Amino acid sequence: METIIEFENVNVSFSMREGTVKAVRDVSLSIPKGKVTALVGESGSGKSTLASTLLRMVSAPGKISAKSIQVDGQDVMAMSEKKLRHYRWSEVSMVFQAAQNSLNPVVTIGEQFIETYQAHRKESDKKVIEKRAIELLEYVKLEPKRVLRSYPHELSGGMKQRVMIAFSLLLEPKVVILDEPTTALDVITQDSIFSILQKINDEFGITLLLLSHDIAVVAKVADYLGVMYAGKIVEFDEIYTIFEQPKHPYTQGLLRAVPSLIHDLGKIKPIPGASPNLLDLPSGCPFHPRCEYAMSHCKTIEPELKRSKDGYIPACHLFDHERKEAALTK
Ligand code: SF4
């Protein structure tokens, strides 16, 4: 499998008055090239923070430390500020959560396209930029002429999200990150956003990284799924494999909590307990206070996600034998 993103021993911490929040803890993971990968987990699991490290853009007082973060062979951690300015949005772009609200309310969409383009490229011919904006707006199924003349408040939430997706493609990046791309949109708009994302991936081969708290929603479009808990990836595999046979008890819990139209709603079983406090994580496996399979050593030894010849072995002591076998076959 060809990969485009390589996280190696990535950590992100925030020093607060109350202590240090370890939002991302020693993540090592490869993301396949040209595919759609979804990272899911409850809020505070670290998915957005991990994705932000691809742009080296963690909000203050966050600090990234990593052996390396590679995107298409370039080490993001080693880039100068000048190189980073060019790299952001040209190589990797990100549509932040509720990004529609980040559109400038007093500037038309057309002017915002021109400003964004000129901030990153030397192109100053407004006609060329407008032509590109029209192509992209048509691509995301919007009426370009009307939208370019509009101010953000004249567009619906779904239209603004499509505008943000068009913005993310403006500089032809290799990777687009979308944080909760359909939250707060109705189901019909959600479907149309997902079909646009699928088309972007199929036709341009752009690698998409979707971040969501909703495992069922991203299943519509993702090829691969990573599950995050307390700042770590606990399971990573092809999405169908995970849906057919989830291994990590947390992944099993997430899937049991998904409502279904055809099954008895009474069978939905939420995961007991609450997400851990990142300032004071439980000892050992951070999921142990909520896990129905917890064993005594789960309280003292934290399991790690391990690479194997077939992919990854989940970060759970129930799979220690697989880890031992994988180590022996090396
Ligand atoms: Fe549960 Fe133990 Fe696995 Fe953690 S390591 S998920 S507590 S069985």
Side-chain angles (χ1 to χ4, degrees), residues 269-316:
K269 208 170 147 204
I271 302 171
S275 307
N277 176 0
L278 294 178
L279 276 167
D280 185 20
L281 282 177
S283 59
C285 170
F287 189 58
H288 86 252
R290 307 171 76 184
C291 180
E292 60 185 299
Y293 303 105
M295 302 165 276
S296 59
H297 62 295
C298 297
K299 294 180 186 159
T300 51
I301 304 167
E302 182 162 17
E304 301 291 338
L305 183 83
K306 279 268 174 334
R307 288 178 204 265
S308 75
K309 63 177 183 352
D310 304 318
Y312 289 92
I313 301 164
C316 170

Side-chain angles (χ1 to χ4, degrees), residues 234-236 247 304-308 311-316 319-320 322-324 326:
V234 295
E235 186 162 6
F236 188 89
K247 287 180 160 176
E304 301 291 338
L305 183 83
K306 279 268 174 334
R307 288 178 204 265
S308 75
Y312 289 92
I313 301 164
C316 170
F319 302 94
D320 283 350
E322 286 188 28
R323 262 191 283 274
K324 272 185 203 142

Side-chain angles (χ1 to χ4, degrees), residues 107-111 143-151 154:
V107 178
T108 64
I109 300 297
E111 288 167 82
E143 229 181 285
K145 294 250 153 73
R146 191 200 131 196
V147 171
L148 286 175
R149 282 195 311 267
S150 301
Y151 289 90
E154 294 174 295

Side-chain angles (χ1 to χ4, degrees), residues 133-171:
I134 288 172
E135 282 167 13
L136 289 171
L137 290 172
E138 276 171 351
Y139 195 79
V140 297
K141 299 195 169 50
L142 287 171
E143 229 181 285
K145 294 250 153 73
R146 191 200 131 196
V147 171
L148 286 175
R149 282 195 311 267
S150 301
Y151 289 90
H153 73 269
E154 294 174 295
L155 307 176
S156 69
M159 289 166 86
K160 282 190 267 189
Q161 186 63 321
R162 286 172 213 220
V163 168
M164 292 310 300
I165 293 171
F167 270 124
S168 75
L169 299 173
L170 187 60
L171 302 175

